[in-house]
Amino acid sequence: DGGITQSPKYLFRKEGQNVTLSCEQNLNHDAMYWYRQDPGQGLRLIYYSQIVNDFQKGDIAEGYSVSREKKESFPLTVTSAQKNPTAFYLCASSYGGRTQYFGPGTRLLVL
Amino acid sequence: KQEVTQIPAALSVPEGENLVLNCSFTDSAIYNLQWFRQDPGKGLTSLLLIQSSQREQTSGRLNASLDKSSGRSTLYIAASQPGDSATYLCAVKVQGGSEKLVFGKGTKLTVNP
């Protein structure tokens, strides 16, 4: 099956801890994205990558970091500098400017 | 800065009713506009994509229109069903080579049996 997987489904972070959210796609898409969704809000772009080994900041990149070492993988690290990390995180991918395909999401909660 | 607004924020209708969801955007320089569906606690599913040169797209009971000059799009759902209950999100892709999508906050639709 082709698609985007995100893990874990739920993630708990202790204060001062860095946590990493996984995003993998087997669609052979060049571009990948990370969004944050807060209750009653639309999606806000954190980071995106259009090719391997390259990525750009989105609208709310502070407190987050990413890497793109492989085409199929785009992990997101929520650092301790992100003071309000509780949210639903969505990963997406696309090819050739076409529609973005979304993963099932990871809900991050703070202990 | 592009801003996307969706009205109403929530809508409740009886089964079988035809309905319209609204989306407006502040900058008409868009590459395309998409409508997505999101079920609670899930990711987004693309419903319809309208290129900036198009006026409308149809898929089954769904019809999306685009009026770029006025900065408006509508999603028409015919003969609504309880299974249509979800949040519907509108997003525009800005011109300029970026792959960025700008999202509205969504309309939460409830179709009552």
Side-chain angles (χ1 to χ4, degrees), chain A residues 27-62:
Chain A
L27 299 168
N28 201 32
H29 286 172
D30 292 313
M32 297 186 74
Y33 315 81
W34 275 106
Y35 294 92
R36 170 180 172 140
Q37 187 177 34
D38 293 283
Q41 302 293 316
L43 279 66
R44 292 183 290 168
L45 183 64
I46 305 172
Y47 269 99
Y48 65 103
S49 168
Q50 294 183 272
I51 56 172
V52 175
N53 292 322
D54 187 49
F55 47 83
Q56 287 79 42
K57 292 182 180 180
D59 298 320
I60 54 166
E62 186 174 350

Side-chain angles (χ1 to χ4, degrees), chain A residues 6-95:
Chain A
Q6 291 186 241
S7 62
K9 187 172 181 179
Y10 295 95
L11 186 57
F12 298 90
R13 192 190 94 163
K14 295 178 181 177
E15 196 166 335
Q17 186 182 41
N18 293 351
V19 292
T20 298
L21 285 63
S22 169
C23 178
E24 304 276 335
Q25 55 98 359
N26 60 5
L27 299 168
N28 201 32
H29 286 172
D30 292 313
M32 297 186 74
Y33 315 81
W34 275 106
Y35 294 92
R36 170 180 172 140
Q37 187 177 34
D38 293 283
Q41 302 293 316
L43 279 66
R44 292 183 290 168
L45 183 64
I46 305 172
Y47 269 99
Y48 65 103
S49 168
Q50 294 183 272
I51 56 172
V52 175
N53 292 322
D54 187 49
F55 47 83
Q56 287 79 42
K57 292 182 180 180
D59 298 320
I60 54 166
E62 186 174 350
Y64 301 97
S65 66
V66 294
S67 63
R68 187 85 187 277
E69 298 176 1
K70 299 185 294 182
K71 188 175 185 179
E72 59 270 22
S73 178
F74 191 40
L76 173 74
T77 296
V78 183
T79 75
S80 57
Q82 174 48 247
K83 298 306 179 186
N84 184 23
T86 297
F88 190 51
Y89 291 85
L90 288 159
C91 178
S93 70
S94 70
Y95 172 75

Side-chain angles (χ1 to χ4, degrees), chain A residues 9 31 33 35 37 40-43 45 48 50 59 88 90 94 96-100 102-105 107, chain B residues 1 31-32 34 36 38 41-46 49 51 89 93 97-106:
Chain A
K9 187 172 181 179
Y33 315 81
Y35 294 92
Q37 187 177 34
Q41 302 293 316
L43 279 66
L45 183 64
Y48 65 103
Q50 294 183 272
D59 298 320
F88 190 51
L90 288 159
S94 70
R98 297 180 178 87
T99 189
Q100 294 184 14
F102 283 79
R107 189 165 299 280
Chain B
K1 180 184 174 184
Y31 186 76
N32 63 39
Q34 295 183 65
F36 292 89
Q38 185 177 29
K42 305 290 186 183
L44 277 64
T45 300
S46 179
L49 183 151
Q51 299 293 351
L89 292 153
K93 184 178 175 184
S98 166
E99 296 295 313
K100 279 186 59 174
L101 291 181
V102 180
F103 283 83
K105 295 181 180 181

